[in-house]
Amino acid sequence: MNLTLRVWRQKSPEDKGRMVTYRVEDVSPDMSFLEMLDVLNERLILEGDDPVAFDHDCREGICGMCGMVINGVAHGEQVATTTCQLHMRHFEDNAVITIEPWRAAPFPVVKDLVVDRSAFDRIIQAGGFVSVPAGSAPDAHSLPVKKVDADAAFDAATCIGCGACVAACPNGSASLFTAAKITHLSLLPQGQPERDSRARAMVEQMDAEGFGGCTNTGECTAVCPKGIPLDTIAQMNRDYLKASK
Amino acid sequence: MRYTEGEPIRDTKAPEGPIEDRWEKRKFGAKLVNPANKRKLNVIVIGTGLAGGSAAATLGELGYNVTSFCYQDSPRRAHSIAAQGGINAAKNYRGDGDSIYRLFYDTVKGGDFRARESNVYRLAQVSVNIIDQAVAQGVPFAREYGGLLDTRSFGGAQVSRTFYARGQTGQQLLLGAYQALERQIAAGTVKMHTRHEMLDLIVADGRARGVIVRDMVTGEIERHLADAVVLASGGYGNVFFLSTNAKGCNTTAIWRAHRRGAMFANPCYTQIHPTCIPVSGEYQSKLTLMSESLRNDGRVWVPVKGGDDRPVSQIPEDERDYYLERIYPAFGNLVPRDIASRAAKNVCDEGRGVGPGGLGVYLDFADAIKRLGRDAVEKKYGNLFEMYERITGEDPYTQPMRIYPAVHYTMGGLWVDYDLQSTIPGLFVIGEANFSDHGANRLGASALMQGLADGYFVLPTTIGDYLANGPYGEVDEEAVAEAEVAVREKINRLLSNNGTRTADSYHRELGKLMWEYCGMERTEESLRKALERIPELREEFWKNVKVSGEADELNQALERAGRVADFFDLAELMCIDALHRTESCGGHFRAESQDADGEALRDDEHFAYVAAWEYGEQGPVLHKEDLDYEYVKMSQRSYK
Ligand SMILES: Cc1cc2nc3c(=O)[nH]c(=O)nc-3n(C[C@H](O)[C@H](O)[C@H](O)COP(=O)(O)OP(=O)(O)OC[C@H]3O[C@@H](n4cnc5c(N)ncnc54)[C@H](O)[C@@H]3O)c2cc1C
Ligand code: SF4
Ligand code: FES
C-alpha cells in the first residue's frame, strides 16, 4: 500500500514545530506502525534528512515507551492497542495519516514525537510503593490474598505508564495512571499501612506537576491500551477523600 | 585460528566446604562497611532492569550513595518488563518433591554442566527469598482460591515451581523493583539519570572508577566517578538483529568494559527460544516470543508428509506428526528449549515446516480447548492469544498458532567471580550482562530469578567487601580524559562519514550472517565463513555508513550506529569462541559433534571449562576456568 503521512516535526523544545508531509510507498499490511516509520526513516537518513524521532523499545506492547497521536487518537483507533502493536492492515491504501506527539503541558516535547514523561516517575516517587527493605520480608504464604482481590489488583497493575490517558484527556489529567497504581496497592493487604499517605501524596504530586483535574469524560479509558477502567478513578477519589479527612 | 591461549583463570571467592554452607560462609567472611561510611561511598549502577533496579534500590537503602543510568525515558521500561512466563523458586508450596537441592540439580543439568555448582546452589537458596520480597512489595502473583500463591510447571521441569503473574511476570516484578528504586530516589540515596547511555568505562590505577555517558537529549558527554561500578545492562541477543529483545538492547556497556580489561566469558552461548512468532517479511524489526507456558497445553506438530500445504482442518489426525511427543515421550512438549528449538529446525529442514517459507511449526490448542473449554484456555493464555492475533491477523482459537525458534537470551557475558566481580577490580556485573549461572543453556523462568538474586541479595553483600577498603580517593585525571576523548572521537568519526548505507542496513546484514553461520547450528565451515565476512563487512561499515544529524542533539541514528559498531566486534569474538568449542552443548549445536540419534554430543573431557576471553590488540586471549562437579555427576542429558 501507499500512504501519505503528515508528521509533526519539532527540532527541540524551543522550536515551534510544524506538520511535514511525506509519501511512503510499498508498505506491507503486515508491518507494524513503527516498522512503517522505520522504512520512512531509513530513506530520510540516506537523503541526509533528520529521521523522525520517536520513542519505542519493546515493540510488544508492554514497556509503555511508544506513543503517538494517530489521526487524532492516542495510539490510533485500534482499541486497547499500543502504537507498536498497531498493524498497517488496519489502514486503507492511499490513506492520509496524521501523526503527532502526546500533547499535554506536563509532557513537554523533546523532539518530534518524543515527549518527556518524567512527571509520572515523580508521582510514583511520592508514594507509589510499599516500603519494604530487601531481605526482611516474611514468608510469602504468611499473608493469603483472596483470588478476586489479587486478580483485581493485577488488572490495575497492568498500566504500562504510556501516558495515552493524559494525551487523550481534554483536561490533560493523569488521573487514570495515578488511580491505577493507587488501586493496585490499596486492594492488597501489603498496601494497607501506607494507603492513606500514599493516596494523599500521589494525588498532590499529580496536581503539582500541572496535570488537569478529572471531569469524568472517559477519553482516558477509551484510549488506554491496557483497558484500565474508570472505576479506578472512583477508587482513587474515595481513598483520597478518606485520607484527607 | 586467530587467538592465543593465556594462563588459566580461577574463582577464588567461593568458599570451600559443603555446598549448603558456602553462601553463609561467604556472607560471614565479607567485610562490613560502617553505616556512617556508607554515605561517603559512591556506586554507579548501569541499567534499571530487574538486576540493576533491584541492586540500586537495595544499595540505596543500605545507605550507599548511588547513581543510576538507563537509556529509556524511565527506569520502569527496561527490557525485563517483557518477560512473560514466570520466575522459579524452590518453595515447594505444592509439596511435589521440590527442594533447593532439586532446583540446583535441575539447573546444573539443564545448563549442560557448563555452570558453576557453587553459584547455582546459591541461586536456588536465594530464590526462596525473592518470592517473599516480591510479594511483600505488592507484586500481584497469581493465586489459588484459598488465597495462596499459584505455581505452574515450565519448560524442562517436572515440578511446579514457577510463580507467575498472568503472562506479564516480568512487568510485575520490574514494577516492584522500580517502585523500590523510586522510593530511594525520593529519599535521595539514588540519583537517577534516564536517557543516558554509557559509552565507556573509566579504569584508573587498575580499578573501575567511573563511566563516560552521553545525555541522549542534549548530546552532552558527561563523566561520572565512583568507588565501584555495577553493570546491569542486559544481554546482547540483538547482535542477531532479529531477536525477542527490545530494540534498544545492546552490548555497548559490557563491550567497552571488555576493551578496558574485563574478560568476556562464553560469548557464543546463545539461547534460541522455540516458541516465537515466525518472521513475516524483510521489514521486520523484531520477533515476538510466545510464552513457553503455552507448551503446557499446546501440542506441537507438523504434517507427516513434506510439502503438505492443505489447511489444518483437512489434515487428518494420522497425518500429523506430534514430533516432540513422539521423540521425547517422557517430557513431550515440555522438553527444554534447546531440544525443542532444534527439533523444530530439523522438521523444517526436512521440508515439513508450515506457513510462509516453510519456517514454522504448529502449536495447537484444539485438544486443550476440547478438554478444558475455551473459557479456561482464555483465562490462562488470553493475552498471549490476543497478541498473536494482533501480529499475525490469525485467530489462534480456531486455527493453530505457527511458531518458530528465535534468538532470545545470551548466556555469555562478562566473566565474574562468586562475588560478581569482573576481572577489573571494582567492576561488578549482574543479571544477563554477566556470564551468569546458566551454563550453556538456560531453563525457563531462571533469568528473572538470577537477575533479582544478584540485585536484591548477592551483590549488596559482596560489593560491601570491596567497598570496605574504600573510599578509593581521587581519580587520575588522565584516565578520565582519555576515556572521554575516545568516546568523542568515535562519535565524530560516525557523524563525519558521508556514506551510502544506514547503520540498520549493516546491522540487518550482520544479523543474517550470525543467524546463518553462528546460530542454532554451527559448523567449522560456517564459522570460518563468518570470520572471513565479518571483518570485511565491518570495514565497509566504517567506510560507508551514513549517520545524519548532529552530536549535540537527540540523535537516534547516531545511537544506533554506535551500538552496531560494537556488535561487529562482539560478533567476531562470538564466532571465534564458537569455533574453538568443537563440542555441542546446550543452545550451542556443533553439527560435527552429535550422536547416532542426531542429539547434541558434549565433550566433557576437553571442554568442561568456562572460556574467558581477554581483549588483545593482536587478537583475543583465551583463559580457561575449569569446572568441577562434586555434587551433580556429569552425565549426558537425555529427555527421552
Ligand atoms: C520476551 C521475553 C520474555 C522473557 N520471559 C522470561 C521469563 O518468563 N522468565 C525468565 O526468567 N526470563 C525471561 N526472559 C529473560 C529475562 O527477561 C531477561 O534475561 C532479564 O530480564 C534481564 O534482566 P537484566 O536486568 O539483566 O537486564 P535488562 O532488563 O535488559 O536491563 C538492562 C538495562 O540496562 C540499560 N542499559 C543497557 N545498555 C545501556 C547503556 N549502554 N547505558 C545505559 N544503560 C544501558 C537499559 O536501559 C536497561 O535499564 C524473557 C526475555 C524476553 C525478551
Ligand atoms: S492508564 Fe492506560 S493509558 Fe494511562 S498510562 Fe496507564 S496504560 Fe497508559
Ligand atoms: S514499544 Fe514498548 S509498548 Fe510500544
Side-chain angles (χ1 to χ4, degrees):
Chain A
M1 47 208 290
N2 300 322
L3 302 166
T4 303
L5 307 181
R6 296 178 60 241
V7 187
W8 182 259
R9 303 303 311 259
Q10 181 174 344
K11 223 167 154 37
S12 67
E14 297 77 40
D15 184 26
K16 264 183 56 199
R18 71 215 169 277
M19 298 301 285
V20 177
T21 303
Y22 300 98
R23 185 89 188 138
V24 278
E25 268 145 29
D26 292 331
V27 171
S28 153
D30 285 331
M31 282 182 181
S32 72
F33 199 83
L34 301 186
E35 284 166 346
M36 184 271 296
L37 287 180
D38 288 344
V39 170
L40 168 69
N41 277 344
E42 288 288 282
R43 192 185 88 205
L44 292 180
I45 293 173
L46 291 182
E47 288 168 359
D49 276 346
D50 212 12
V52 179
F54 63 90
D55 267 334
H56 65 101
D57 201 15
C58 72
R59 296 202 173 191
E60 351 193 308
I62 191 75
C63 74
M65 187 115 165
C66 65
M68 44 194 86
V69 176
I70 301 167
N71 290 337
V73 183
H75 286 306
E77 265 167 80
Q78 196 70 14
V79 175
T81 304
T82 54
T83 307
C84 58
Q85 291 285 284
L86 174 63
H87 283 74
M88 297 316 292
R89 63 179 77 94
H90 301 294
F91 293 87
E92 309 260 305
D93 193 15
N94 286 316
V96 179
I97 307 176
T98 307
I99 311 172
E100 295 163 276
W102 285 173
R103 297 208 188 270
F107 286 170
V109 173
V110 177
K111 181 174 180 177
D112 299 339
L113 305 173
V114 175
V115 301
D116 177 356
R117 286 167 289 193
S118 54
F120 272 9
D121 290 331
R122 290 187 293 273
I123 293 174
I124 299 295
Q125 279 161 35
F129 45 74
V130 174
S131 301
V132 44
S136 62
D139 184 88
H141 265 184
S142 62
L143 202 61
V145 180
K146 270 193 268 173
K147 181 164 166 50
V148 281
D149 291 346
D151 284 352
F154 182 91
D155 286 337
T158 56
C159 163
I160 55 174
C162 62
C165 45
V166 176
C169 177
N171 309 325
S173 167
S175 285
L176 197 63
F177 165 79
T178 312
K181 180 83 294 162
I182 289 179
T183 304
H184 158 209
L185 292 176
S186 69
L187 282 168
L188 294 170
Q190 292 86 339
Q192 297 314 311
E194 293 166 303
R195 183 170 176 176
D196 289 354
S197 56
R198 171 181 312 116
R200 242 190 347 256
M202 290 181 75
V203 170
E204 279 158 18
Q205 186 62 35
M206 178 171 86
D207 293 343
E209 295 289 346
F211 290 104
C214 170
T215 52
N216 274 315
T217 57
E219 295 293 331
C220 52
T221 49
V223 299
C224 174
K226 296 297 149 180
I228 304 289
L230 217 50
D231 333 346
T232 55
I233 299 187
Q235 175 76 43
M236 170 175 81
N237 290 338
R238 275 198 300 278
D239 276 18
Y240 181 68
L241 280 176
K242 191 170 135 279
S244 332
K245 272 205 192 117
Chain B
M1 225 190 306
R2 47 197 106 178
Y3 74 88
T4 49
E5 198 168 326
E7 290 294 299
I9 186 170
R10 219 157 57 82
D11 167 29
T12 54
K13 303 280 181 47
E16 312 256 295
I19 199 157
E20 307 81 43
D21 303 337
R22 289 180 194 166
W23 178 225
E24 269 315 309
K25 241 175 156 171
R26 178 67 195 122
K27 280 198 279 189
F28 186 74
K31 280 182 237 134
L32 294 177
V33 182
N34 161 332
N37 286 341
K38 284 191 182 146
R39 246 172 295 130
K40 297 177 209 147
L41 290 160
N42 300 309
V43 182
I44 285 172
V45 182
I46 302 293
T48 58
L50 284 175
S54 59
T58 309
L59 292 171
E61 190 178 274
L62 286 170
Y64 296 108
N65 205 354
V66 181
T67 312
S68 165
F69 298 88
C70 71
Y71 68 71
Q72 292 93 346
D73 69 326
S74 164
R76 66 177 289 149
R77 309 208 201 276
H79 168 63
S80 293
I81 202 140
Q84 300 171 351
I87 176 166
N88 284 338
K91 280 285 201 184
N92 194 28
Y93 280 163
R94 293 245 168 186
D96 57 0
D98 201 11
S99 63
I100 289 176
Y101 200 88
R102 190 179 296 276
L103 176 54
F104 155 70
Y105 179 92
D106 287 353
T107 308
V108 170
K109 181 174 163 231
D112 235 355
F113 300 91
R114 294 295 176 263
R116 282 190 200 129
E117 278 192 336
S118 305
N119 289 52
V120 175
Y121 195 89
R122 172 176 68 188
L123 180 65
Q125 277 175 313
V126 171
S127 70
V128 174
N129 306 103
I130 296 172
I131 301 303
D132 297 341
Q133 174 71 17
V135 166
Q137 288 171 338
V139 170
F141 282 123
R143 297 209 173 234
E144 310 263 17
Y145 282 98
L148 300 180
L149 293 159
D150 194 9
T151 52
R152 60 183 171 202
S153 54
F154 215 67
Q158 283 166 313
V159 289
S160 191
R161 62 159 77 100
T162 306
F163 294 77
Y164 65 102
R166 254 171 254 170
Q168 302 168 21
T169 316
Q171 180 195 28
Q172 294 308 321
L173 289 169
L174 184 66
L175 289 181
Y178 155 78
Q179 286 160 207
L181 178 64
E182 292 297 334
R183 174 169 162 247
Q184 293 307 316
I185 295 170
T189 59
V190 178
K191 271 188 252 13
M192 184 72 225
H193 298 269
T194 58
R195 295 196 194 270
H196 275 67
E197 181 161 29
M198 166 178 163
L199 295 179
D200 211 345
L201 180 76
I202 298 170
V203 181
D205 300 323
R207 291 177 192 278
R209 293 304 308 275
V211 292
I212 304 289
V213 297
R214 178 170 178 272
D215 179 331
M216 294 159 75
V217 174
T218 63
E220 196 181 333
I221 303 298
E222 304 171 356
R223 32 169 85 181
H224 293 265
L225 305 178
D227 296 291
V229 176
V230 181
L231 299 186
S233 56
Y236 50 84
N238 274 356
V239 64
F240 291 90
F241 190 80
L242 285 182
S243 80
T244 63
N245 289 8
K247 283 296 285 174
C249 289
N250 61 81
T251 188
T252 294
I254 56 173
W255 188 258
R256 302 271 107 199
H258 171 57
R259 294 201 53 155
R260 296 260 170 219
M263 287 189 200
F264 206 121
N266 300 335
C268 80
Y269 283 175
T270 308
Q271 178 175 76
I272 315 286
H273 198 293
T275 54
C276 301
I277 300 177
V279 178
S280 65
E282 264 299 305
Y283 49 81
Q284 196 127 357
S285 60
K286 79 159 279 169
L287 296 173
T288 302
L289 173 131
M290 301 300 295
S291 170
E292 180 164 39
S293 64
L294 291 170
R295 286 198 279 143
N296 281 332
D297 288 302
R299 299 179 68 195
V300 176
W301 65 275
V302 289
V304 170
K305 278 196 305 281
D308 186 342
D309 50 12
R310 285 175 292 176
V312 177
S313 58
Q314 287 169 29
I315 305 182
E317 236 359 81
D318 61 354
E319 290 178 43
R320 302 177 176 193
D321 179 13
Y322 295 90
Y323 57 90
L324 290 177
E325 296 166 39
R326 173 172 57 82
I327 312 175
Y328 307 99
F331 281 76
N333 295 298
L334 290 176
V335 291
R337 292 176 179 179
D338 57 323
I339 309 269
S341 295
R342 242 174 52 72
K345 181 173 190 295
N346 288 343
V347 296
C348 292
D349 288 351
E350 287 163 22
R352 299 197 285 145
V354 298
L359 293 178
V361 301
Y362 288 127
L363 177 62
D364 196 340
F365 282 83
D367 282 358
I369 292 173
K370 239 186 260 148
R371 184 164 38 92
L372 308 165
R374 184 181 156 134
D375 274 4
V377 170
E378 197 168 334
K379 271 214 183 73
K380 255 172 137 168
Y381 307 114
N383 66 319
L384 297 169
F385 278 43
E386 230 176 78
M387 183 160 95
Y388 181 84
E389 179 165 9
R390 230 180 259 288
I391 294 171
T392 60
E394 294 168 11
D395 174 14
Y397 290 102
T398 55
Q399 69 188 99
M401 296 180 174
R402 286 174 297 108
I403 55 167
Y404 196 68
V407 168
H408 180 55
Y409 181 93
T410 41
M411 279 84 66
L414 293 188
W415 186 90
V416 289
D417 62 18
Y418 189 69
D419 279 1
L420 305 179
Q421 184 168 220
S422 72
T423 48
I424 302 177
L427 180 71
F428 292 78
V429 192
I430 61 178
E432 197 174 332
N434 73 20
F435 86 106
S436 92
D437 306 345
H438 305 301
N441 180 49
R442 181 179 77 82
L443 294 182
S446 59
L448 300 182
M449 173 168 73
Q450 186 224 334
L452 289 176
D454 287 0
Y456 280 133
F457 302 106
V458 180
L459 175 89
T461 307
T462 57
I463 201 173
D465 187 68
Y466 178 80
L467 289 169
N469 294 324
Y472 287 95
E474 289 283 293
V475 184
D476 176 28
E477 168 60 29
E478 224 168 285
V480 184
E482 191 251 320
E484 199 179 311
V485 167
V487 163
R488 283 184 198 282
E489 269 174 3
K490 191 162 172 184
I491 290 176
N492 291 341
R493 198 169 153 205
L494 287 170
L495 281 171
S496 57
N497 221 7
N498 198 13
T500 60
R501 271 181 73 179
T502 62
D504 255 18
S505 84
Y506 281 106
H507 191 178
R508 222 177 257 279
E509 191 173 342
L510 174 70
K512 270 206 191 117
L513 209 138
M514 289 298 284
W515 175 248
E516 202 169 323
Y517 298 141
C518 189
M520 229 186 307
E521 188 169 319
R522 306 131 183 215
T523 61
E524 158 131 17
E525 195 197 340
S526 76
L527 290 164
R528 286 198 187 279
K529 261 195 205 142
L531 281 169
E532 229 165 83
R533 184 63 190 134
I534 292 168
E536 289 170 5
L537 195 62
R538 175 177 43 209
E539 208 179 298
E540 213 183 297
F541 167 86
W542 279 108
K543 274 204 199 115
N544 195 33
V545 71
K546 183 170 174 90
V547 184
S548 51
E550 311 291 328
D552 58 353
E553 62 173 351
L554 190 150
N555 187 340
Q556 293 172 330
L558 175 65
E559 289 159 23
R560 240 170 271 170
R563 292 171 192 161
V564 176
D566 291 335
F567 278 136
F568 271 114
D569 295 349
L570 167 74
E572 192 172 18
L573 186 65
M574 286 172 78
C575 293
I576 291 176
D577 185 42
L579 185 56
H580 106 280
R581 193 171 280 274
T582 54
E583 65 165 349
S584 293
C585 69
H588 165 122
F589 189 81
R590 271 299 280 270
E592 298 94 338
S593 183
Q594 49 181 305
D595 66 14
D597 292 339
E599 299 290 335
L601 191 63
R602 245 179 28 229
D603 178 356
D604 293 331
E605 196 190 327
H606 298 102
F607 290 100
Y609 62 75
V610 174
W613 298 92
E614 181 190 340
Y615 182 81
E617 290 295 336
Q618 310 305 321
V621 185
L622 172 64
H623 301 265
K624 295 177 181 168
E625 178 196 339
D626 282 328
L627 293 165
D628 305 316
Y629 292 90
E630 273 176 72
Y631 290 85
V632 190
K633 228 174 96 330
M634 284 206 217
S635 59
Q636 202 58 32
R637 279 195 305 154
S638 170
Y639 293 89
K640 287 201 165 158

